Amino acid sequence: MCGRFSLSVMPEEVRDALGLFELDAFPARYNIAPTQPILVVIQSERREPGSNMPERRAMLVRWGLLPSWVKDPNDFPLLINARSETAIGKASFKAAMRHRRVLVPASGFYEWHRPEKGSDEKSQAYWIRPRKGGVIAFAGLMETWSSPDGSEVDTGAILTVGSNRSIARIHDRMPVVIAPEDYDRWLDCRAYEPREVTDLLAAPADDFFEAVPVSNLVNKVSNTGPAVQAAIAESLPPVEKTDGEAGSGQMSLF
């Protein structure tokens, strides 16, 4: 799953990486948690012929998707993630997969290696970031939920997939990362049906991310500074390389 992530780069970097026309300033966020506002990028209205204006825009949504048909949010589970393997057919996500696919800009995410019951081993948190740095974009879904009194809340979830080999030692799920060359296809719900973008719902290459062991500071939502990403000593053995594999060096919404 993906239960915490970070977006700690400058707004200009997000704007340029995601092809946005404009983006309001926002603070670095090192420990984004469920129910908090998250930045998403959507496909905006079609451009006028001959216009060079970008077709994408950014907005804030609550992290925790609420399908439009939900009557009482208090009786519905918090959907922060959607399994990519079943999202097309699942009632909670199929409308969003067809009509409201989004990108979720991020600097990386956190995951916890949790030992088996009865083990003396302690749970270990990891800051998982792209080896090359920069901004990445998770595959996301969005829904606007309307309350009985007519008020609306924009909500979202992050799609996950089975982990690649380097992350599987920590957790068996990870967020789907959409490559820049595939942003248009993922966002364009008019031209591409869900079955035409399922090939994008795959784990990135084994060497795309690096996992940095961090302290338990990240466990508390109230810890929001860069200290949550400070490296500590590794507690898990490294991933064994296969034959012939080359080694690698070291805002308020509501």
Side-chain angles (χ1 to χ4, degrees), residues 1-8 29-33 63 81 106-114 124-129 138 167 170-171 173-175 209-215 217-220 223-230:
M1 65 177 294
C2 175
R4 300 281 180 85
F5 70 100
S6 172
L7 181 60
S8 55
R29 300 179 66 194
Y30 294 92
N31 194 8
I32 302 172
W63 189 12
N81 293 154
S107 302
F109 67 102
Y110 300 94
E111 194 50 84
W112 283 259
H113 170 69
R114 305 189 189 280
Q124 175 63 61
Y126 286 83
W127 162 232
I128 301 174
R129 63 191 181 191
F138 298 146
I167 303 303
I170 300 170
H171 197 276
R173 305 289 296 179
M174 66 188 300
F209 283 115
E210 60 180 351
V212 180
V214 296
S215 74
L217 283 175
V218 71
N219 294 0
K220 292 186 178 181
N223 293 329
T224 58
V228 300
Q229 295 178 357

Side-chain angles (χ1 to χ4, degrees), residues 241-242 244-248:
K241 297 181 176 62
T242 58
E245 182 179 356
S248 58

Side-chain angles (χ1 to χ4, degrees), residues 16 39 51 88 93 115-116 123 150 158 185 224 242 246:
D16 294 345
L39 189 71
S51 171
I88 289 179
F93 305 120
E116 296 181 1
S123 178
I158 294 172
R185 184 153 64 100
T224 58
T242 58

Side-chain angles (χ1 to χ4, degrees), residues 23-81:
L23 180 62
D24 292 338
F26 58 82
R29 300 179 66 194
Y30 294 92
N31 194 8
I32 302 172
T35 75
Q36 293 180 353
I38 62 173
L39 189 71
V40 302
V41 172
I42 66 173
Q43 190 85 8
S44 59
E45 296 299 321
R46 293 288 183 182
R47 297 176 293 188
E48 294 294 328
S51 171
N52 60 358
M53 298 288 284
E55 291 186 359
R56 303 172 194 154
R57 65 182 179 90
M59 61 183 293
L60 289 173
V61 305
R62 188 199 74 156
W63 189 12
L65 187 140
L66 277 175
S68 58
W69 44 263
V70 170
K71 294 182 178 180
D72 185 356
N74 295 320
D75 293 333
F76 194 77
L78 186 66
L79 301 178
I80 62 171
N81 293 154

